[in-house]
């Protein structure tokens, strides 16, 4: 997955493209490149590694060009080297192309093109595209370039030969992708294509943009039009034309984004991740306001305490829930399973979307399928949901697909794919490691589980009221944890700058938090870390323990507190340094734990929203002390739009 940006207008394009790419670097940062058109030529500059390498190269070759495309890459096909960096160009260096996505049938297209005499300069799947466009342009009847016989039996008919050549080239491609194209022979056109990978068009005053994500263009315009699958757009200095895959012009209007440029700035924090950790109390408040009915109190059996606005068809005769997700969203889903089962009494299964795609569970009746994805663009999650939709299509009502999405980006592909969404209201998250979007996903699950619990009368209204009251205290508790613990967690982190392995233990509803703590540490500090259900450690992982392997144990009051303490004892007996995330620093806990990260005493059911905070901070400070790029860890990208 990569980031694309494009500009056509009256300003110098290079800086606009570079600053757009800066906002998209979270999508990949193996290499970057831009191509502009100036004095009848395409100027293409590419550099391996992060954007600053490209920026310094461009200082020598900057032009006043007013049209251009840019790309930041997360390598899929071909090493992260300059020769594989985008833009890719045709043989005559007239056409430049940037792509986000994968071309599945690139091998056969490459062979076909090689037989026609095309030579390839990269190892990528996407280099076939400029050659295909060149081939179609060459044979286009209305082209400025020599006309000839249509190469693949096609007829050009569009008002723009370039648009038509792109359209025909795209018909040859299989896969999920978004593309932006410029051509020196059509210096007033920027063509954009969407096929299952996100791309938005931005409308300015006499200038137009395209980008994989809105932060790239938000400082120029808030009027955007996300393209739908199969659509192409032709951007000229005069306006934007949108076409369907048959080449027919469509009527489309931009809409105004509710986003402002400061949301995508660090605002004094050293890293986006730290800023986003600190935004979490606000995120929980926003979710409380949006999801819960402020006027509700126990005894009110006419209104639900929850106002998710989901239609009855989602809930009627519901027997089962299955959730598909990846990474951190998968961890939120496991907390969700716990809540849906314990509060609402509905059997719930959680699947890695990437596994579910190829080994789906047998169809069950009256089943709600939930896709959880903060970006709404994760290819595996989308494919799992698409498969579920398709395999239930011809079935009777009991087996029909009921789909729900939980996402932070309702305008994403997921938003178009499923009929109902819970919007997680965390605001744009830039740090590659998810923090505030995780908390917001947890809030969505609390709301869903409590709504179902109320409707099914699975718990008493008094209990319901108690949980909601507890939830309302959470923003303050998170603030207290941030305020009182950040400095001491930073101090504690000094002890682990050289540590090679970490173990995280949790049980019950805090088991997924142990997984999340381990994932955060792995992602940004590159320290090997594993999360385990505390009781499972003795069945094997305990062999890993010695004085060099610290163990973080989440020991919150409730049904499993004593059990976690006993499991922590087992680790202590193997000389591990024990760090307790717990409200208790006396009694047995004081004897076991070498270090404490105190958190408030809250209802066990609510504790995950609190216990994850110190684990995020611990991962952050260890990574920051190691001098690592916290916001853009190696090999990762924010949204994984490839399989
Ligand atoms: C989280 O820190 C990770 N970057 C990653 O595991 C992420 O949660 C996963 O790729 C799923 O992303 P999504 O929520 O956008 O679908």
């Amino acid at each position: 997955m990569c980031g694309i940006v494009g500009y056509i207008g009256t300003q110098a394009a290079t800086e606009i493209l570079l600053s757009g790419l800066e906002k998209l670097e979270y999508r990949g940062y193996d290499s970057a490149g831009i191509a502009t058109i100036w004095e009848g030529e395409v100027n293409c500059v590419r550099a391996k590694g992060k954007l600053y390498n490209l920026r310094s190269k461009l200082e020598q070759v900057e032009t006043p060009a007013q049209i251009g495309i840019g790309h930041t890459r997360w390598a899929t096909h071909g090493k992260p080297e300059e020769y594989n960096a985008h833009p890719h160009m045709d043989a005559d260096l007239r056409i430049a192309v940037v792509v986000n996505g994968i071309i599945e049938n690139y091998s056969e297209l490459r062979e076909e093109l090689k037989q026609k005499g095309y030579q390839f300069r990269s190892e990528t799947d996407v280099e076939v595209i400029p050659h295909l466009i060149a081939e179609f342009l060459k044979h286009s009847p209305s082209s400025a370039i020599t006309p000839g016989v249509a190469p693949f039996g096609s007829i050009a008919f569009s008002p723009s030969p370039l648009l038509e050549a792109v359209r025909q080239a795209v018909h040859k491609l299989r896969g999920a992708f978004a593309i932006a194209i410029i051509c020196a022979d059509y210096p007033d056109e920027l063509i954009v294509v969407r096929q299952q990978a996100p791309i938005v068009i931005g409308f300015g005053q006499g200038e137009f943009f395209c980008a994989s994500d809105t932060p790239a263009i938000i400082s120029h315009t808030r009027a955007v039009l996300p393209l739908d699958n199969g659509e192409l757009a032709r951007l000229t200095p005069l306006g934007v034309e949108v076409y369907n895959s048959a080449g027919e012009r469509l009527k489309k209007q931009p809409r105004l984004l509710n986003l402002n440029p400061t949301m995508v700035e660090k605002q004094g924090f050293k890293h986006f991740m730290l800023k986003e950790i600190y935004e979490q109390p606000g995120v929980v408040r926003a979710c409380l306001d949006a999801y819960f009915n402020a006027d509700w109190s126990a005894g009110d059996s006419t209104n639900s305490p929850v106002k998710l606005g989901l239609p009855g068809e989602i809930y009627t005769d519901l027997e089962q829930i299955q959730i598909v997700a990846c990474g951190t969203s998968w961890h939120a889903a496991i907390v969700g399973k716990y809540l849906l089962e314990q509060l609402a009494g509905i059997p719930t299964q959680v699947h890695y979307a990437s596994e579910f795609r190829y080994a789906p569970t047998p169809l069950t009746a009256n089943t709600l399928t939930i896709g959880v994805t903060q970006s709404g663009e994760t290819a595996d999650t989308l494919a799992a949901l698409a498969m579920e939709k398709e395999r239930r299509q011809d079935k009777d009502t009991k087996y029909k697909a009921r789909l729900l999405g939980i996402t932070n980006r309702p305008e994403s592909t997921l938003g178009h794919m499923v009929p109902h969404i819970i919007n997680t209201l965390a605001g744009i998250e830039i740090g590659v490691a998810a923090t505030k979007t995780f908390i917001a996903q947890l809030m969505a699950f609390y709301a869903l589980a409590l709504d179902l619990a109320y409707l099914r009368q699975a718990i008493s209204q008094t209990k319901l009221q108690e949980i909601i009251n507890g939830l309302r205290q959470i923003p303050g508790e998170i603030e207290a944890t941030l305020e009182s613990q950040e400095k001491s967690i930073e101090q504690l982190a000094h002890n682990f700058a050289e540590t090679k392995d970490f173990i995280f233990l949790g049980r019950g509803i805090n088991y997924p938090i142990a997984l999340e703590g381990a994932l955060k540490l792995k992602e940004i500090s590159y320290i090997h870390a594993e999360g385990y259900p505390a009781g499972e450690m003795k069945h094997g992982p305990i062999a890993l323990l010695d004085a060099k392997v610290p163990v973080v144990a989440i020991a919150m009051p409730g049904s499993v507190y004593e059990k976690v303490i006993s499991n922590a004892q087992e680790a202590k007996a193997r000389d591990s340094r024990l760090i307790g995330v717990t409200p208790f620093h006396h009694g047995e806990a004081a004897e076991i734990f070498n270090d404490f990260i105190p958190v408030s005493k809250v209802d066990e059911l609510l504790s995950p929203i609190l216990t994850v905070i110190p684990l995020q901070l611990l991962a952050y400070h260890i990574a920051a002390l190691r001098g690592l790029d916290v916001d853009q860890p190696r090999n990762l990208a924010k949204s994984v739009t490839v399989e």
Side-chain angles (χ1 to χ4, degrees):
M1 85 241 69
C2 308
I4 292 178
V5 64
Y7 175 77
I8 186 163
T10 51
Q11 300 188 62
T14 306
E15 188 49 44
I16 292 174
L17 296 173
L18 283 172
S19 66
L21 289 178
E22 259 164 30
K23 299 288 184 300
L24 295 179
E25 239 189 331
Y26 73 87
R27 301 176 71 88
Y29 29 81
D30 290 332
S31 64
I34 69 165
T36 53
I37 300 175
W38 179 243
E39 294 181 331
E41 305 287 333
V42 174
N43 297 294
C44 183
V45 181
R46 308 181 296 176
K48 184 181 168 176
K50 296 220 167 170
L51 199 57
Y52 49 72
N53 296 336
L54 177 67
R55 202 175 256 290
S56 54
K57 260 188 153 181
L58 276 163
E59 274 160 18
Q60 288 119 53
V61 284
E62 206 177 324
T63 70
Q66 294 168 337
I67 175 172
I69 52 177
H71 188 269
T72 178
R73 177 172 188 244
W74 186 75
T76 55
H77 295 66
K79 290 198 184 89
E81 296 292 344
E82 187 177 321
Y83 61 87
N84 285 326
H86 300 218
H88 289 284
M89 297 188 67
D90 68 318
D92 298 333
L93 308 179
R94 308 294 293 163
I95 302 165
V97 170
V98 289
V99 183
N100 167 32
I102 284 189
I103 310 303
E104 285 166 4
N105 58 336
Y106 79 98
S107 312
E108 61 197 68
L109 291 172
R110 211 171 154 109
E111 276 320 300
E112 210 175 317
L113 286 160
K114 272 186 181 168
Q115 277 169 23
K116 287 177 187 283
Y118 287 91
Q119 287 181 356
F120 285 78
R121 306 181 192 98
S122 78
E123 296 155 347
T124 66
D125 52 337
V126 300
E127 197 191 338
V128 295
I129 300 173
H131 296 313
L132 277 175
I133 297 171
E135 182 69 6
F136 280 109
L137 258 184
K138 200 160 67 178
H139 296 92
S140 158
S142 48
S143 167
I145 303 169
T146 330
V149 180
F152 298 107
S154 52
I155 307 159
F157 61 90
S158 148
S160 150
L162 179 60
L163 176 78
E164 182 54 24
V166 171
R167 192 184 74 83
Q168 295 189 37
V170 168
H171 272 286
K172 302 272 300 170
L173 307 176
R174 272 204 324 269
F177 48 80
I179 317 174
I181 305 113
I182 53 170
C183 173
D185 299 304
Y186 301 90
D188 288 332
E189 293 182 48
L190 196 169
I191 309 293
V192 183
V193 179
R194 180 198 161 118
Q195 188 55 57
Q196 286 168 30
I199 191 115
V200 295
I201 309 296
F203 291 68
Q205 300 278 329
E207 55 182 4
F208 302 93
F209 308 81
C210 69
S212 301
D213 199 357
T214 46
I217 54 176
I218 191 67
S219 55
H220 304 285
T221 179
R222 284 173 53 220
V224 300
L225 172 69
L227 287 188
D228 284 326
N229 281 336
E231 289 180 351
L232 298 92
R234 177 170 173 256
L235 282 57
T236 72
L238 299 178
V240 175
E241 300 155 14
V242 181
Y243 296 85
N244 65 15
S245 61
E248 294 154 348
R249 180 107 183 246
L250 304 172
K251 274 196 184 150
K252 293 238 162 178
Q253 291 298 331
R255 59 183 176 76
L256 274 189
L257 274 182
N258 184 15
L259 186 71
N260 71 57
T262 58
M263 288 174 174
V264 290
E265 302 298 338
K266 286 190 197 140
Q267 293 170 2
F269 285 91
K270 195 169 171 210
H271 294 101
F272 279 109
M273 182 179 174
L274 191 60
K275 173 189 166 229
E276 286 155 4
I277 290 174
Y278 271 85
E279 282 172 347
Q280 293 179 111
V283 170
V284 176
R285 283 193 184 101
C287 293
L288 282 167
D289 288 348
Y291 303 156
F292 293 92
N293 202 335
D295 302 331
W296 187 87
S297 58
D300 181 349
S301 45
T302 45
N303 300 303
S304 169
V306 179
K307 44 169 185 167
L308 284 176
L310 297 173
E313 77 214 36
I314 290 251
Y315 294 155
T316 317
D317 300 326
L318 189 59
E319 289 173 39
Q320 278 221 41
I321 295 179
Q322 55 183 11
I323 312 176
V324 289
C326 305
T328 286
S329 296
W330 186 79
H331 298 156
I334 307 179
V335 177
K337 168 188 162 73
Y338 197 94
L339 298 171
L340 290 161
E341 291 186 339
Q342 304 304 316
L343 289 171
I346 305 175
T348 303
Q349 296 182 36
V350 181
H351 302 277
Y352 282 121
S354 53
E355 290 296 311
F356 187 79
R357 292 177 71 169
Y358 300 104
T361 46
L363 287 184
T364 49
N366 298 320
T367 300
L368 171 66
T369 305
I370 307 178
V372 188
T373 159
Q374 81 78 20
S375 61
E377 301 294 351
T378 297
D380 286 319
T381 308
L382 296 179
L385 290 170
M387 187 198 69
E388 197 55 13
K389 199 170 173 178
E390 202 191 317
R391 73 179 181 142
R392 287 176 180 267
Q393 218 144 42
D394 303 323
K395 302 281 180 272
D396 69 43
T397 323
K398 269 199 335 187
Y399 290 93
K400 277 259 174 303
R402 301 184 194 192
L403 299 181
L404 172 67
I406 297 182
T407 184
N408 202 41
R409 306 300 296 269
E411 74 285 7
S412 63
T413 306
L414 178 86
H416 289 90
M417 186 178 207
V418 297
H420 312 290
I421 284 285
I422 302 180
N423 179 0
T424 51
L425 304 168
I428 284 192
E429 187 175 67
I430 305 283
V432 164
T435 51
K436 63 174 180 171
T437 52
F438 174 71
I439 287 276
Q441 289 169 344
L442 297 189
M443 288 304 290
F445 276 116
Y446 281 101
L448 184 65
L450 290 170
D451 204 15
L452 280 160
Y454 168 83
L455 292 168
R456 299 161 79 100
Q457 300 181 358
I459 55 173
S460 73
Q461 293 216 356
T462 321
K463 179 72 186 163
L464 203 57
Q465 175 94 68
E466 215 176 277
I467 297 170
I468 295 173
N469 290 348
L471 273 173
R472 294 199 187 283
Q473 304 305 313
I474 291 288
E477 304 291 4
I478 301 177
E479 270 156 1
T481 307
L482 290 170
E483 204 171 299
S484 63
Q485 296 309 313
E486 203 211 325
K487 283 280 157 282
S488 45
I489 291 173
E490 188 179 358
Q491 282 303 316
L492 183 64
H494 279 91
N495 297 292
F496 307 117
E498 301 303 322
T499 300
K500 300 248 176 318
D501 304 280
F502 250 96
I503 300 287
F504 290 76
L505 301 179
R507 263 184 115 138
I509 199 165
N510 275 301
Y511 156 54
I513 302 303
L515 296 177
E516 178 61 7
L519 179 64
K520 286 291 89 94
L521 189 65
K522 274 186 268 212
E523 280 189 300
I524 60 170
S525 73
Y526 318 145
I527 293 175
H528 170 243
E530 298 300 337
Y532 290 106
E536 196 54 28
M537 199 186 53
K538 58 187 175 292
H539 297 290
I542 199 163
L544 297 169
L545 299 186
D546 62 24
K548 287 194 230 121
V549 182
V551 173
V552 179
I554 306 168
M556 294 302 281
S559 56
V560 291
Y561 175 74
E562 271 88 20
K563 304 289 167 201
V564 174
I565 293 293
S566 313
N567 300 138
Q569 288 278 16
E570 293 155 14
K572 177 95 174 172
R574 271 80 192 175
D575 296 331
S576 288
R577 178 172 183 159
L578 273 178
I579 303 137
V581 176
T582 178
F584 302 122
H585 20 113
H586 53 264
E588 209 179 352
E591 284 162 29
I592 300 172
F593 294 120
N594 303 89
D595 308 283
F596 284 99
I597 306 178
V599 288
S600 310
K601 200 171 160 189
V602 292
D603 188 316
E604 188 179 26
L605 271 176
L606 304 179
S607 61
I609 329 181
L610 208 53
T611 53
V612 74
I613 307 288
L615 303 191
Q616 295 168 342
L617 284 171
L618 185 64
Y620 170 79
H621 282 295
I622 293 177
L625 281 170
R626 287 161 74 108
L628 297 171
D629 190 342
V630 173
D631 288 331
Q632 293 175 351
R634 71 183 180 202
N635 305 338
L636 298 185
K638 184 79 184 155
S639 50
V640 185
T641 55
V642 294
E643 187 176 350

